[in-house]
Amino acid sequence: MDKTKRTRLEAAGWRVGDASDFLELTAEETAFVELKLALADYLRDIRVQHGWTQTHVARVLGSSQSRVAKMEAADASVSVDLLVKSLLALGASRKQVGQVIARAA
Amino acid sequence: MDKTKRTRLEAAGWRVGDASDFLELTAEETAFVELKLALADYLRDIRVQHGWTQTHVARVLGSSQSRVAKMEAADASVSVDLLVKSLLALGASRKQVGQVIARAA
DNA sequence: GACGCCTATGTCGTATCTGACATATCATCA
DNA sequence: TGATGATATGTCAGATACGACATAGGCGTC
């Protein structure tokens, strides 16, 4: 498994199979985490492309810098709801959100 | 506004502008609700196409019949997380979920 | 080094979501 | 009509996610 992805999965709160090189996730769990990571990456892309800081985005969303950081990290404490709402609030369209989710890993 | 959609939005817990014929929702809120409705419809489609009952789906998901009913109604108490996880658990792919979201209203 | 700015991580009280249960509504059929 | 099966609605205790705050790490510039 790709090391950076594994690290991101761990960071997102998913257990990594100790000695084994495989995550012990069902297919659904894997798909769900990848979906979240895709949204998180997209959120960061939008922010960086606009030259915004996490603090600025937090102000726009009515949230806090720390939560924005967790969103971009696809932290386990962040829901897909929050990611989707945030993306829409930052100007992404429903169609764009869907495309980001549908795009292959 | 289309009457059945309006009814569904109300049922989903969104306030409808009293005398006015328009929902007082921002563009983001509208997009978010439509996104949820699309997932809810898709969930029902999958279930019906397989000839499953809500009770059967609930058993598969480890949930209850009432929650499945609320999912299909895009009830305000149902998160996008739950809808997405349920769809994936029922065999939908990440790509399919994305396409359903991206598809125009 | 010290400062400023940005991002990451940990924790906490509160708000929201969840599964479960009870019950209601609605068909279909005998 | 009554009975049976499916779906809808209301409620609640426990679980999870939220914004907020504190603080740490990284990285330039002086």
Side-chain angles (χ1 to χ4, degrees), chain B residues 47-98:
Chain B
R47 179 178 66 81
V48 171
Q49 279 181 10
H50 285 83
W52 293 332
T53 65
Q54 290 181 346
T55 302
H56 171 73
V57 170
R59 237 184 359 256
V60 172
L61 300 179
S63 181
S64 57
Q65 177 269 326
S66 61
R67 191 132 298 274
V68 174
K70 283 165 203 198
M71 285 189 223
E72 295 185 355
D75 187 277
S77 79
V78 172
S79 71
V80 171
D81 284 65
L82 185 62
L83 285 167
V84 169
K85 282 182 185 168
S86 299
L87 287 169
L88 295 174
L90 292 184
S93 68
R94 185 155 82 83
K95 185 171 183 177
Q96 288 172 316
V97 171

Side-chain angles (χ1 to χ4, degrees), chain B residues 10-36:
Chain B
E10 288 178 334
W14 299 87
R15 185 191 316 277
V16 170
D18 30 57
S20 164
D21 196 25
F22 298 98
L23 283 174
E24 297 184 2
L25 297 177
T26 66
E28 302 108 77
E29 287 170 336
T30 302
F32 184 73
V33 173
E34 286 180 352
L35 186 153
K36 252 178 91 166

Side-chain angles (χ1 to χ4, degrees), chain A residues 76-88:
Chain A
S77 79
V78 173
S79 71
V80 171
D81 284 66
L82 185 63
L83 285 167
V84 169
K85 282 181 185 169
S86 299
L87 287 169
L88 294 175

Side-chain angles (χ1 to χ4, degrees), chain A:
Chain A
M1 160 169 282
D2 176 80
K3 183 154 188 319
T4 64
K5 169 178 275 189
R6 173 173 172 161
T7 302
R8 298 196 62 193
L9 289 170
E10 289 177 334
W14 299 86
R15 186 190 316 278
V16 170
D18 28 61
S20 165
D21 197 23
F22 298 98
L23 282 174
E24 297 184 2
L25 297 177
T26 66
E28 302 108 77
E29 288 171 333
T30 302
F32 183 74
V33 173
E34 286 180 351
L35 186 152
K36 252 177 90 168
L37 287 172
L39 293 176
D41 288 346
Y42 187 41
L43 181 67
R44 168 157 286 170
D45 287 349
I46 290 177
R47 178 177 67 81
V48 171
Q49 280 181 11
H50 285 83
W52 294 333
T53 66
Q54 290 181 347
T55 302
H56 172 73
V57 170
R59 235 183 1 253
V60 172
L61 300 179
S63 181
S64 57
Q65 177 269 326
S66 60
R67 190 133 298 274
V68 174
K70 282 166 206 205
M71 285 189 223
E72 294 185 356
D75 187 277
S77 79
V78 173
S79 71
V80 171
D81 284 66
L82 185 63
L83 285 167
V84 169
K85 282 181 185 169
S86 299
L87 287 169
L88 294 175
L90 293 184
S93 69
R94 185 156 81 84
K95 185 171 184 178
Q96 288 172 317
V97 171
Q99 287 175 340
V100 165
I101 291 174
R103 197 176 316 284

